[in-house]
Amino acid sequence: MDIPMSASIHKCAWEIRGDRSLGALERLAVVARYEAGEAVYRCNDPIEHWYRVVRGAARKSALSGDGRRHIVDFMLPGDFFGFGLSRPRQFCVEAIFPGTLIARYARMAVERLADSDPVIARNIRELAFEAIVRLQGRMVILSRSKALERVSSFLLEMADRSRISPTHAVFLPMSRYDIADYLGLAVETVSRALTELRQRHVIAFRSVRQVRICDRAVLEGLAEKLAEQGSQPSRQRATALAGQGETNQLSN
Amino acid sequence: MDIPMSASIHKCAWEIRGDRSLGALERLAVVARYEAGEAVYRCNDPIEHWYRVVRGAARKSALSGDGRRHIVDFMLPGDFFGFGLSRPRQFCVEAIFPGTLIARYARMAVERLADSDPVIARNIRELAFEAIVRLQGRMVILSRSKALERVSSFLLEMADRSRISPTHAVFLPMSRYDIADYLGLAVETVSRALTELRQRHVIAFRSVRQVRICDRAVLEGLAEKLAEQGSQPSRQRATALAGQGETNQLSN
DNA sequence: CGCGCCATTGACAGGTGTCAAGAAACGTGG
DNA sequence: CCACGTTTCTTGACACCTGTCAATGGCGCG
């Protein structure tokens, strides 16, 4: 099943970013093919590889104690995933598209490369920071309460991530159930929201999984883009002592 | 207002992790003092510094177009924040505790350090990956629908992050409004959830901002820890073409 | 052609947001 | 030390939205 990465694929992938300096990393890539539903890695697996989607799509998910599934992220072509240093996997990743191609990079080899090449190390840092920014943006979306806002945000996110001509339709490789578990909604609510957007002529369906955005302005209005301004002192309050411990975390 | 970082503070901070190799980075630190509500940086500011909370607490927030505020993260002593390479700030950060001390590190200097020292570079990568893992965990919490689950998860998170003896009370430096905007709930809902937990004798209040966890098992049950298992093939479906573009993102 | 999965739609109950009011805590100034 | 105003926190009533249950239709696949 594993095939050494073809020169054409790896070249194409990196040329998008115009980033030639990571070619050395691409030489570590081994591409494997997955069918829909097949696991790339599972929860509690040790971290031995880092990955990148070459073609198709995958989902990263977790299961709650009550059996509910939560999709943390969708990975589309070009996306890296599975990064980490020591602790075992907290999520599992499965392909959601037949014939999905995923490149993997031996973690140790990548880290050696990063240790010896500051440029690669910096690029990896940049990827990590970008991921953090994107996750924080998604967090804001998830805290917004209304279903229409979440679904609108999701459609815009998918449209932005899949580089297509604005007039063309956006392809959604995932099922409605996946979307629901991604947005923290019930399937029926997702379906109702999509129907409402369609009836308002904000979107149109070429097929069940192909959406065309007819009125992006309205969609963005529903998604409630963040305000541009700086701060709002407003609510404040505090009581007792500070500095009762040290954690070590990072974010943008 | 800026004070050169005292040796004692910087030593204490890093000794927690037992990580001596980042001492070189600490020599770049400059500590500033902020009053409650004072901004550390604002939205759209250029990224010129990275930061770490020395004492007190801060919140990272964004404002929606409709005026709603969303708190992306709380930063407690020891937490790094404000990382990034090029793009301007997407969020603003304000102290939420009077007399909060925050160390800042000139971005360029840190990057030079990382370029020249693979160990520092690796430590920064590790911080970034940890942050990603934590954000993904929070994402799962936010997609969980019920208010009791969110509030329970929040209390457990705060208890874990503020290193205190289990019998001791957890201090919440933020207001109920902050908690609400952090969990994507209304203030009243947060208050009601806390009241219910108190009436069930799961928690008790030493003061409004000091919570003692009486029955951690129940709290964890409500917070619905993630299941340990691997995968669940279940729902699948796909229709048309794949690989219609390239994005470049990363996650665990 | 029939079976299974996916998607949509409807009815209904429960949870949450909103509005409103009151209680408690804090800061200030006398 | 106390009185006062402001802010925070709590509690109640009610409407709306969303989750749940149920049924139907569509699509792919054997």
Side-chain angles (χ1 to χ4, degrees):
Chain A
M1 163 150 65
D2 296 349
I3 30 181
M5 185 166 228
S6 81
S8 66
I9 288 180
H10 108 238
K11 223 182 158 215
C12 133
W14 285 107
E15 275 178 355
I16 297 280
R17 301 211 59 181
D19 206 343
R20 300 167 313 286
S21 52
L22 279 162
L25 190 141
E26 281 311 310
R27 280 196 284 277
L28 303 175
V30 177
V31 176
R33 179 192 172 96
Y34 299 86
E35 290 314 310
E38 198 175 342
V40 177
Y41 60 74
R42 291 192 165 79
C43 195
N44 296 326
D45 281 358
I47 299 185
E48 289 166 352
H49 298 277
W50 294 358
Y51 301 88
R52 202 186 92 242
V53 176
V54 175
R55 195 185 68 189
R59 65 169 175 240
K60 181 189 305 171
S61 59
L63 290 171
S64 292
D66 57 358
R68 291 175 64 97
R69 185 185 59 161
H70 300 281
I71 292 183
V72 175
D73 207 358
F74 291 117
M75 281 81 75
L76 302 182
D79 291 344
F80 284 85
F81 65 95
F83 281 62
L85 290 184
S86 47
R87 69 170 67 185
R89 300 287 183 196
Q90 303 202 328
F91 304 99
C92 66
V93 168
E94 299 153 337
I96 53 179
F97 199 84
T100 291
L101 296 182
I102 292 181
R104 70 163 177 268
Y105 313 78
R107 176 173 72 91
M108 288 305 194
V110 177
E111 293 201 61
R112 273 196 305 271
L113 209 55
D115 286 345
S116 66
D117 185 344
V119 179
I120 288 192
R122 182 181 289 241
N123 278 307
I124 291 176
R125 274 203 304 280
E126 184 160 14
L127 281 177
F129 296 156
E130 294 277 329
I132 290 173
V133 168
R134 204 167 67 83
L135 282 171
Q136 289 174 335
R138 267 187 41 67
M139 200 155 306
V140 171
I141 294 173
L142 279 179
S143 22
R144 317 225 71 240
S145 39
K146 302 281 184 283
L148 254 189
E149 299 172 2
R150 294 193 189 187
V151 173
S152 301
S153 302
F154 170 74
L155 291 175
L156 287 172
E157 181 194 347
M158 287 304 295
D160 291 342
R161 287 178 68 177
S162 49
R163 315 273 178 77
I164 50 164
S165 59
T167 61
H168 203 270
V170 179
F171 175 65
L172 307 176
M174 70 291 289
S175 73
R176 299 289 193 266
Y177 289 90
D178 287 336
I179 299 176
D181 292 345
Y182 180 68
L183 297 177
L185 299 170
V187 199
E188 297 90 335
T189 307
V190 172
S191 194
R192 272 186 262 266
L194 289 173
T195 301
E196 180 169 348
L197 290 175
R198 177 170 50 80
Q199 288 173 344
R200 287 202 211 172
H201 301 289
V202 178
I203 60 175
F205 286 98
R206 289 177 63 86
S207 75
V208 192
R209 303 258 177 126
Q210 281 182 300
V211 187
R212 191 168 57 83
I213 296 179
C214 307
D215 195 336
R216 182 174 242 271
V218 173
L219 205 58
E220 285 173 348
L222 289 170
E224 281 282 335
K225 292 182 77 73
L226 298 181
E228 298 289 330
Q229 53 129 277
S231 71
Q232 171 204 39
S234 69
R235 300 131 169 184
Q236 276 306 330
R237 212 62 295 288
T239 347
L241 65 153
Q244 74 272 28
E246 302 270 330
T247 59
N248 271 298
Q249 291 152 356
L250 164 163
S251 54
N252 179 359
Chain B
M1 165 151 65
D2 295 350
I3 30 182
M5 185 167 227
S6 79
S8 66
I9 288 180
H10 108 239
K11 222 179 158 217
C12 134
W14 285 109
E15 276 179 354
I16 296 280
R17 299 210 61 181
D19 206 344
R20 300 166 313 284
S21 51
L22 278 162
L25 189 141
E26 281 311 310
R27 279 196 285 277
L28 303 174
V30 177
V31 176
R33 180 191 171 96
Y34 299 87
E35 290 314 310
E38 199 174 342
V40 178
Y41 60 75
R42 291 192 166 81
C43 196
N44 296 325
D45 282 357
I47 299 185
E48 289 165 354
H49 298 277
W50 295 357
Y51 301 88
R52 202 186 91 240
V53 176
V54 175
R55 194 184 69 190
R59 65 170 174 240
K60 181 189 305 173
S61 60
L63 290 171
S64 292
D66 57 357
R68 293 176 62 97
R69 185 185 58 162
H70 300 282
I71 292 183
V72 175
D73 208 356
F74 291 117
M75 281 80 76
L76 302 183
D79 292 345
F80 285 84
F81 65 95
F83 280 63
L85 291 184
S86 49
R87 69 171 66 186
R89 301 284 183 198
Q90 303 203 327
F91 305 99
C92 68
V93 167
E94 299 152 338
I96 53 178
F97 199 85
T100 290
L101 296 183
I102 291 179
R104 69 164 176 270
Y105 312 79
R107 176 172 73 88
M108 288 306 194
V110 177
E111 293 201 60
R112 273 197 306 272
L113 210 54
D115 286 345
S116 67
D117 185 343
V119 178
I120 288 192
R122 182 183 291 240
N123 278 309
I124 292 176
R125 274 202 304 280
E126 184 160 14
L127 281 177
F129 296 155
E130 295 276 331
I132 291 173
V133 167
R134 205 167 67 85
L135 282 170
Q136 289 174 335
R138 268 189 38 70
M139 198 155 310
V140 171
I141 293 173
L142 280 178
S143 24
R144 318 225 71 239
S145 39
K146 302 282 184 280
L148 254 188
E149 300 172 2
R150 295 194 188 186
V151 174
S152 302
S153 302
F154 169 75
L155 291 175
L156 287 172
E157 181 193 348
M158 287 303 296
D160 292 341
R161 287 178 68 179
S162 50
R163 315 272 179 78
I164 50 165
S165 58
T167 61
H168 203 269
V170 180
F171 175 66
L172 306 176
M174 69 291 290
S175 73
R176 299 287 194 267
Y177 289 89
D178 288 336
I179 299 176
D181 292 345
Y182 180 69
L183 297 177
L185 298 171
V187 199
E188 297 90 336
T189 308
V190 172
S191 194
R192 272 186 261 267
L194 288 174
T195 301
E196 180 168 349
L197 289 175
R198 176 170 51 79
Q199 288 174 343
R200 286 203 211 172
H201 301 287
V202 178
I203 60 175
F205 286 98
R206 287 179 64 86
S207 76
V208 191
R209 303 252 177 133
Q210 282 182 302
V211 187
R212 191 167 57 83
I213 296 180
C214 307
D215 195 336
R216 182 173 243 271
V218 172
L219 205 57
E220 285 173 349
L222 290 170
E224 281 284 335
K225 291 182 79 71
L226 297 180
E228 299 288 329
Q229 54 130 287
S231 72
Q232 170 204 41
S234 69
R235 299 132 168 183
Q236 275 306 329
R237 209 68 294 289
T239 349
L241 65 154
Q244 74 275 26
E246 302 270 330
T247 59
N248 272 300
Q249 289 150 357
L250 164 163
S251 53
N252 179 359

